[in-house]
Amino acid sequence: MRVTLLGTGDTTGTPTVGCDCDTCEAARARGVERTRFSVHVENERTDESLLIDFSPDFRYQFLREDVALPDAAVVTHIHFDHLDGLGNVFRVIDELAVYAADETDPKTGKSVAETVESDYHYLDPVTVHSTTPLEPVRICGLDVTFVPVTHPPLLCYGLAIEDPETGAKLSLSGDTSYDVSEASRAVLADPDLLLADAIVPAHLCEFHPIGGRHENAEGVPRTFGTKHMTREGALELAAELNADRTRLVHLAHYYPAEEAFEEPLAIDGEQYDL
């Protein structure tokens, strides 16, 4: 299983358009970037590729990394930075199976699958497959499980992706607070690689209108506001999941420049063979 990090940034990416903060300037100077979130997973046994989320930067990411166009894809939730790139498949992909959760979201009255199907009804190549969370489904020769996480006000899902022949496992926290259920943690546990949402370091919680949540024993917030984990929360989750390797993703340009490129914060283009 070859994993390529197409996009490791949050909703604005780094550098952010029109921003001259120290972190954005440092990214430009280093020649690195964090575009909106997306992950490419290649099953080398079957010569198939699975895309996780449709970044608005879809076209650029695929040109930059020169990876194969997907044979199938999954959508974790309906925020624009994870979905709006789906329109890029028009006249590019002849046929694409898109998997999304079938649970009805009280906020929208639709499941993620229904939202994808209705919003992109004009894309003839796309066939949406409604998928039940916590029940594995075989996609591109890999066993994929949608895992409920907490990203208010919308339903959102992490993912566990396992190769049934080699045992290689990739887990993604999805966009989430630290408040991940024990049932979901059990599915995500023991990955070879964990991609964990870590939007900012915990010390920046003082600048959030409602501060931080889910403090640890030392009082360090593990959730920034209500929607995303802090760096510290993501690393604690990784330890609890017994992740062999962890990369922090969905990173904001609010990381101070002196912290923004430290390990284990990811940047676009990283590739891992599991």
Side-chain angles (χ1 to χ4, degrees), residues 34-50:
R34 292 175 173 137
T35 56
R36 274 73 67 88
F37 182 80
S38 188
V39 178
H40 184 274
V41 181
E42 180 185 355
N43 183 346
E44 294 182 304
R45 290 188 297 99
T46 64
D47 194 28
E48 293 176 292
S49 296
L50 171 66

Side-chain angles (χ1 to χ4, degrees), residues 2-175:
R2 175 167 291 168
V3 179
T4 303
L5 307 188
L6 297 178
T8 56
D10 71 340
T11 188
T12 68
T14 303
T16 292
V17 173
C19 182
D20 61 358
C21 75
D22 289 346
T23 300
C24 289
E25 289 297 315
R28 294 183 184 103
R30 290 167 176 255
V32 300
E33 57 189 343
R34 292 175 173 137
T35 56
R36 274 73 67 88
F37 182 80
S38 188
V39 178
H40 184 274
V41 181
E42 180 185 355
N43 183 346
E44 294 182 304
R45 290 188 297 99
T46 64
D47 194 28
E48 293 176 292
S49 296
L50 171 66
L51 181 65
I52 300 166
D53 284 340
F54 290 92
S55 167
D57 302 304
F58 178 104
R59 176 183 177 276
Y60 171 65
Q61 291 171 345
F62 274 84
L63 288 171
R64 183 192 63 198
E65 301 306 328
D66 193 26
V67 290
L69 287 167
D71 298 286
V74 299
V75 174
T76 61
H77 66 297
I78 62 171
H79 278 151
F80 96 98
D81 53 326
H82 295 257
L83 178 58
D84 278 17
L86 178 54
N88 283 272
V89 306
F90 185 63
R91 294 183 179 173
V92 173
I93 296 175
D94 293 330
E95 184 177 1
L96 185 67
V98 176
Y99 294 77
D102 62 2
E103 294 179 307
T104 300
D105 192 327
K107 186 71 175 178
T108 65
K110 297 179 180 179
S111 67
V112 175
E114 289 170 331
T115 298
V116 174
E117 191 163 33
S118 62
D119 287 3
Y120 292 91
H121 61 87
Y122 60 90
L123 291 177
D124 291 336
V126 171
T127 302
V128 179
H129 296 264
S130 294
T131 307
T132 302
L134 300 178
E135 294 184 7
V137 59
R138 185 67 57 85
I139 310 173
C140 296
L142 303 169
D143 291 334
V144 179
T145 306
F146 285 83
V147 179
V149 292
T150 306
H151 188 55
L154 299 175
L155 292 184
C156 185
Y157 303 87
L159 296 167
I161 302 173
E162 299 183 68
D163 188 320
E165 293 197 16
T166 68
K169 182 175 181 180
L170 167 68
S171 290
L172 301 91
S173 73
D175 284 16

Side-chain angles (χ1 to χ4, degrees), residues 193-234:
L193 176 64
L194 171 68
L195 303 179
D197 170 18
I199 195 163
V200 294
H203 62 80
L204 293 187
C205 288
E206 65 177 291
F207 299 105
H208 194 287
I210 63 172
R213 294 288 187 274
H214 307 122
E215 291 83 356
N216 63 16
E218 288 74 41
V220 177
R222 293 178 285 196
T223 296
F224 180 68
T226 61
K227 294 184 178 184
H228 297 274
M229 287 187 287
T230 62
R231 172 184 59 195
E232 289 77 0

